[in-house]
Amino acid sequence: MNSNEKDFVFGKHAGLDFLKTQNADRINKIFLQENLQASLTNEVYTLAKKKKIIVQLVPKSKLDRLVAGANHQGLVLTIASFEYAALDELLDQFERQEREPFLLMLDSIEDPHNLGSILRTADATGVDAVIIPKRHATGLTSVVAKTSTGAIDHVPVARVNNLVQTSQMLKKRGYWLFGTDMTGTDYRKWNSNGRTVLVIGNEGKGISRLLKEQMDQMLTLPMVGQVQSLNASVATGVLLYQMLNSRNPLQ
């Protein structure tokens, strides 16, 4: 994204969390709704004073216009557009850590709410980085930030030109790739130890054919109900907690 573009972080939890992180230096201005509860107002002013950020009190109608009617809870931050991590730098960094890295690759997730929810679960389960494509997918937006409730600031997101080529590069660096499909190995048998990449497909089409050909194994979520599909963020959550269980089994 162009560094001169502007975006928003809004909502009480997402806004305060952003103010408390090192990313706060990207905040241009804080818009705070008039006549909010004193506790939130005081906390915002205290944090803004430490970061030397301007706070402007405005009516609710202005905040409604800024975020197109979304639920801002009286707090909107205007910031420089969200920054993406460089994948090569991340991989080099992971080479130096003791534990084996776990990466999450998202094949054309289009709904920003899904991406935000996935980032939230990725943070909770210790995912090292998320990889998304530059085209035909949602990027990091204010809606993603709001839905992630601050996780967007803690999970590195790399955006790449071609997921197939990226998968080939990762395999050369010793990573195993696991995809999701209606026919595959029961996810409860999945051993996620080692350098691992979990690939989640598009909400409607799943993993693209060429990318699926790069997978070392396909995983299936068994379903016994009448509806034989799950929301992308829900399916990702189930698989990420299986990863966490596999890497950190109960003693």
Side-chain angles (χ1 to χ4, degrees), residues 39-222:
S39 58
L40 176 58
T41 300
N42 292 337
E43 187 171 5
V44 169
Y45 270 103
T46 299
L47 291 169
K49 184 177 181 180
K50 291 180 180 178
K51 305 287 186 178
K52 298 181 180 178
I53 304 170
I54 297 173
V55 178
Q56 182 176 345
L57 289 176
V58 296
K60 180 178 181 295
S61 58
K62 179 174 178 63
L63 299 184
D64 291 340
R65 289 194 300 272
L66 284 175
V67 298
N71 183 19
H72 49 73
Q73 298 175 305
L75 178 61
V76 176
L77 316 179
T78 62
I79 62 170
S81 294
F82 293 98
E83 297 179 359
Y84 296 91
L87 183 58
D88 288 341
E89 293 179 6
L90 287 175
L91 295 178
D92 290 342
Q93 174 186 325
F94 299 153
E95 296 278 356
R96 298 188 292 270
Q97 69 184 24
E98 293 184 6
R99 63 183 178 83
E100 298 286 15
F102 183 94
L103 310 181
L104 180 62
M105 179 181 289
L106 306 177
D107 184 10
S108 304
I109 295 296
E110 298 175 344
D111 186 340
H113 294 94
N114 275 339
L115 179 55
S117 295
I118 288 170
L119 288 177
R120 185 173 183 177
T121 308
D123 176 60
T125 54
V127 171
D128 291 283
V130 174
I131 302 170
I132 63 174
K134 288 184 178 179
R135 301 173 62 187
H136 308 301
T138 185
L140 299 182
T141 68
S142 55
V143 175
V144 174
K146 168 73 173 178
T147 310
S148 79
T149 62
I152 195 172
D153 303 316
H154 305 294
V155 181
V157 178
R159 197 162 61 155
V160 300
N161 289 316
N162 188 297
L163 292 181
V164 173
Q165 292 176 1
T166 298
S167 297
Q168 293 170 341
M169 177 272 291
L170 288 168
K171 294 178 79 169
K172 289 179 180 178
R173 296 188 68 149
Y175 286 81
W176 292 82
L177 275 66
F178 296 85
T180 52
D181 194 56
M182 292 297 292
T183 56
T185 301
D186 191 306
Y187 83 101
R188 290 169 291 186
K189 298 179 180 179
W190 179 33
N191 183 343
S192 68
N193 288 292
R195 298 184 180 187
T196 303
V197 183
L198 173 63
V199 182
I200 301 295
N202 170 269
E203 290 95 339
K205 301 175 183 178
I207 301 174
S208 61
R209 180 181 61 83
L210 292 177
L211 183 57
K212 186 180 290 187
E213 291 175 358
Q214 301 300 317
M215 299 300 104
D216 294 297
Q217 186 177 13
M218 302 302 292
L219 304 171
T220 296
L221 295 173

